[in-house]
Structure formats: structure tokens, C-alpha cells
Amino acid sequence: MIPDRSRAQELIDQLPRQTWYERSFAYWAEKQLVSNDSWWKPLSTAVVGTATTTMSLFLRLGFRKVVVDDLHKLTDVLERERNRPIVTVANHESTADDPIIWGVMPARLRWQPDCTRWTLGARELLYKHPLLNGFFALGQTIPTVRGDGIYQLAVEIGLRKLNENKWVHVFPEGKVNQEAKMLRFKWGVGRMIMEAERTPIVVPMFFTGTKQIMPLRQKVPVPRPNPLKSTFYMRVGDAVDFAPLVSEWKAARAQLSSEEA
């Protein structure tokens, strides 16, 4: 089933609104879903642009060395005239990965709404207060409830953004992983790729270095830059086109449905 506004709106309508916090959360969830108010684009652009510019300075000042390979594989896809959405996937080293990793983006793209990512972020870590609700909503971070499955509101909003030809970034491991071996990917990213109206172009990424400045279980959960020792490295992989595979899957599913009927 291709999601539409009614499916996501139904979930938003079911959100509790008893407290100031709950009313604020529901308000910003609906604004993220639609995001067509005249004030949304300038405010969202200001939040995202300021955050990524700040992170660019943070990378330069907080690490001894910053190495980024093949960033053009992402920027080329973003800047060309496109008729399909984009999904990026990456490993997840720390709770500060987003927005730190986007400090690598060229200055010319940080203030362009069509070239800035939407992302799924843990609601329990980010959406803690009505003021934070507004900040992270405008920052294009979709509140995600871990354990609520692939049909939760966050995935519906992510699908809505893909259907609007936007760029959505996902950490498919679903949580911070500072071990050498990656975790099994969650299914939500697969659903978004397979059910988007136009199959997204998928760009894989890998980075390392953020766990050095923000290890798990530290007493104060804030980044601790070390410009004398820390190294940040990112590599962007080749874009992957799943359109033929998704078309084959949809055709096979349609055939099975007709045979069952």
C-alpha cells in the first residue's frame, strides 16, 4: 500500500493531547507531515543551515584530521535535476552523528531546502520539551519510537517526504553501535525504499571518528572534541538503483494476488 496523507494523519489524530508537551508534539508532527506553511521553509532552512555550518566549524576545530572520500557521489545526485527521491544510509557511531556528519557538506548546499536531509531520530532523546519539539521538527528530524515497528508515524512521514522527492537519511542499525561489526539492519528503511511512489536512489555512506569524541555511557552526554588526536573519516559509496528489483517484486506480488483471487 502506498502511504498517503490520510494514513499518516490518522496516526497523528490518535496522538494524545492532554498536556502542553503532548499538544506541542502533535502540532509539530502535523507540521512536519505537511510542511507547506509560508513560514516553514525559511525557518527550517535557517535551523538546518545554521546547524550544518556550525558542524563544519566543529569538524575543523574538533578533529586533528578530517578526510572525506567521494563526497561528489552524493552531491552530484543532490544537485542534478532529479525526478526521484534519495535515501542515504550509514553506520551509527554516536548520538551526535547527526548533525556532525553533515558538516562535510559544501557551503553551497547547506542553505538549499532541496539539498538538505530529512532524518529519523529517537524521540526519547530529542523530543523532550515543547521548545525542543519545535527545534528538531524544523531541523527536519522525524521523531521515531524504537520498537514501534515499520508502520509507525515516523516511517509514514519519511515515506511522505520521499513521495515529495526529498532526501531522507536513515541509520538502519537503529541504534548507536561502537563495535567493529555492524548490526542487522531494521526493516523500516526497506519499507520506505519499496513502497515509495518512485523508487529512491540509495547512496551508502561509512564514517568513523565520532565514537572517539562521544563514547557510550559517558557521565555527561556531550561531544568531547580532541583536536590533537581525533580523526574523522567518511567515504561515500556508489549510488544504488533498486528500481528494477522493486518493479520485479511488485509484479510478482501482483501475480500472486491475482492467482489467489
Side-chain angles (χ1 to χ4, degrees):
M1 179 185 67
I2 299 299
D4 55 22
R5 184 177 186 273
S6 61
R7 161 67 181 166
Q9 188 64 52
E10 180 181 340
L11 294 175
I12 291 175
D13 290 343
Q14 295 171 3
L15 292 172
R17 291 172 170 82
Q18 299 300 315
T19 67
W20 183 31
Y21 167 81
E22 290 172 345
R23 289 191 293 273
S24 168
F25 181 84
Y27 172 84
W28 286 109
E30 187 158 23
K31 292 302 178 184
Q32 279 197 324
L33 176 65
V34 182
S35 60
N36 62 359
D37 292 286
S38 59
W39 51 266
W40 175 274
K41 183 175 286 189
L43 286 181
S44 180
T45 300
V47 171
V48 176
T50 301
T52 52
T53 299
T54 302
M55 290 304 102
S56 176
L57 293 172
F58 182 86
L59 285 174
R60 287 205 297 254
L61 299 177
F63 290 86
R64 180 180 63 85
K65 188 177 182 181
V66 175
V67 179
V68 182
D69 287 336
D70 297 330
L71 183 61
H72 69 92
K73 293 180 179 179
L74 173 59
T75 58
D76 288 351
V77 174
L78 287 171
E79 291 187 282
R80 72 188 182 203
E81 185 176 352
R82 64 180 192 265
N83 58 5
R84 290 166 63 184
I86 298 168
V87 169
T88 50
V89 293
N91 58 307
H92 200 2
E93 278 202 346
S94 80
T95 54
D97 290 344
D98 191 302
I100 287 178
I101 62 174
W102 305 123
V104 306
M105 297 300 287
R108 68 181 184 276
L109 299 184
R110 296 174 199 154
W111 304 89
Q112 295 187 36
D114 290 337
C115 294
T116 56
R117 97 289 174 263
W118 286 79
T119 190
L120 279 65
R123 174 178 174 175
E124 74 274 14
L125 296 179
L126 305 178
Y127 284 73
K128 292 183 174 182
H129 184 276
L131 293 178
L132 292 176
N133 292 350
F135 175 78
F136 285 109
L138 289 166
Q140 301 183 173
T141 302
I142 304 168
T144 310
V145 180
R146 289 182 250 196
D148 270 13
I150 65 173
Y151 295 100
Q152 65 172 289
L153 178 60
V155 178
E156 299 297 334
I157 295 177
L159 274 164
R160 173 64 180 258
K161 297 308 165 187
L162 292 178
N163 291 341
E164 294 173 351
N165 224 33
K166 303 294 187 182
W167 164 23
V168 175
H169 177 76
V170 180
F171 295 108
E173 292 175 285
K175 65 178 182 179
V176 172
N177 174 26
Q178 297 188 344
E179 303 299 325
K181 184 178 179 180
M182 294 191 72
L183 302 174
R184 177 182 64 84
F185 285 6
K186 302 297 184 182
W187 292 4
V189 64
R191 183 188 169 216
M192 287 193 286
I193 293 170
M194 295 176 73
E195 294 193 9
E197 292 175 354
R198 295 178 299 278
T199 304
I201 298 294
V202 179
V203 181
M205 306 162 54
F206 174 82
F207 63 89
T208 186
T210 57
K211 67 182 179 182
Q212 300 173 30
I213 64 169
M214 197 166 181
L216 286 172
R217 289 178 285 278
Q218 59 181 350
K219 292 183 178 180
V220 182
V222 295
R224 298 182 297 180
N226 188 340
L228 299 179
K229 293 183 179 181
S230 300
T231 297
F232 178 84
Y233 173 76
M234 175 184 283
R235 185 181 185 90
V236 180
D238 295 331
V240 182
D241 186 359
F242 285 103
L245 182 62
V246 172
S247 296
E248 182 180 340
W249 167 73
K250 289 181 178 179
R253 187 177 65 170
Q255 182 177 356
L256 286 173
S257 298
S258 63
E259 291 174 355
E260 291 175 357

